[in-house]
Amino acid sequence: EVQLLDSGGGLVQPGESLRLSCGASGFDFSTYAMNWVRQAPGKGLEWVSLISGGGGTTDYADSVKGRFTISRDNSKNTLYLQIDNLRADDTAVYYCAKSDRYWFDSWGQGTLVTVSA
Amino acid sequence: SYVLTQPPSVSVAPGQTARITCGGDNIADYGVHWYQQKSGQAPVLVVYADSDRPSGIPERFSGSKSGSPATLTITRVEGGDEADYYCQVWDSSRDQGVFGGGTKLTVL
């Protein structure tokens, strides 16, 4: 059974940094691209970033380019999202999601990031 | 950037059929995928590649895309189907995922 466990969220001040993690099990992690998707309170889903199975290809939403960095450690079956210079509009639940071609077939439970002074 | 348009809300009585639409320019060129998100939970994939269903998803959920818009159809609606539903495509020209704004399904 595929399991994804998101962690690392919390309350941070504007301008600070945060690293989110997603631990994966139940599938061959290095074979699949992985994503981060976020959801601001009361809002819809927003795709954030993708990284290929080997880690050599990354893509980002225009809204996060330059501040967010996606990475993975296939030896630890773990996906990461480094968020720098956090802003109030980054407040959201962040989900990791496993890709199967062009859709997201498994999701973590989400981790809440709150940016507030 | 590519935009997907969904109605904000759809209401249906139990046992009836709900149809949720998803429109976009030249949507025929994209594979459309659908997710169900119940209150306080993570999204769940219910339809992928326009009309395929993951294992474990009831046959009551089906997708179609003949022209525009793409449509998620839920037959014999139950109270447990009350949720937000999102369509999604992958924009290969920009290498970005795109979600529709979501549709809240209310079971009367």
Side-chain angles (χ1 to χ4, degrees):
Chain A
E1 178 192 5
V2 172
Q3 292 196 340
L4 300 171
L5 185 61
D6 300 315
S7 62
L11 175 62
V12 296
Q13 295 194 343
E16 292 186 341
S17 297
L18 199 63
R19 190 177 80 159
L20 307 182
S21 299
C22 170
S25 61
F27 65 103
D28 186 0
F29 183 68
S30 65
T31 301
Y32 291 91
M34 295 293 294
N35 301 264
W36 288 99
V37 176
R38 69 181 179 180
Q39 186 170 36
K43 303 298 184 182
L45 301 173
E46 179 187 16
W47 175 83
V48 170
S49 185
L50 171 145
I51 186 167
S52 60
T57 298
T58 58
D59 298 308
Y60 296 93
D62 293 345
S63 59
V64 307
K65 278 180 185 174
R67 293 191 304 118
F68 286 29
T69 304
I70 191 171
S71 62
R72 64 193 296 162
D73 185 337
N74 287 344
S75 69
K76 296 182 178 179
N77 284 0
T78 303
L79 173 72
Y80 302 102
L81 185 68
Q82 176 72 32
I83 309 176
D84 296 323
N85 191 21
L86 276 152
R87 311 186 308 213
D89 62 358
D90 294 321
T91 294
V93 174
Y94 286 74
Y95 297 98
C96 69
K98 170 180 167 285
S99 276
D100 188 341
R101 280 164 280 184
Y102 300 114
W103 55 89
F104 313 126
D105 63 351
S106 297
W107 296 65
Q109 86 288 358
T111 187
L112 176 62
V113 174
T114 303
V115 184
S116 175
Chain B
S1 60
Y2 192 72
V3 175
L4 293 172
T5 301
Q6 299 182 235
S9 63
V10 167
S11 298
V12 64
Q16 299 304 303
T17 297
R19 293 179 180 85
I20 299 171
T21 59
C22 175
D25 288 344
N26 300 314
I27 199 167
D29 296 339
Y30 296 84
V32 180
H33 323 297
W34 293 91
Y35 303 86
Q36 175 194 67
Q37 186 180 34
K38 296 182 179 180
S39 180
Q41 299 183 19
V44 173
L45 179 70
V46 293
V47 168
Y48 65 95
D50 299 338
S51 58
D52 290 335
R53 235 181 356 264
S55 61
I57 301 301
E59 291 183 5
R60 301 185 298 105
F61 290 82
S62 64
S64 63
K65 193 191 69 180
S66 53
S68 178
T71 302
L72 175 69
T73 301
I74 310 170
T75 59
R76 302 183 302 280
V77 167
E78 305 170 354
D81 298 331
E82 194 162 271
D84 294 323
Y85 290 84
Y86 295 90
C87 59
Q88 175 254 320
V89 302
W90 185 263
D91 184 354
S92 296
S93 69
R94 295 170 58 87
D95 287 329
Q96 294 181 339
V98 180
F99 285 97
T103 298
K104 182 175 182 62
L105 175 66
T106 299
V107 181
L108 301 170

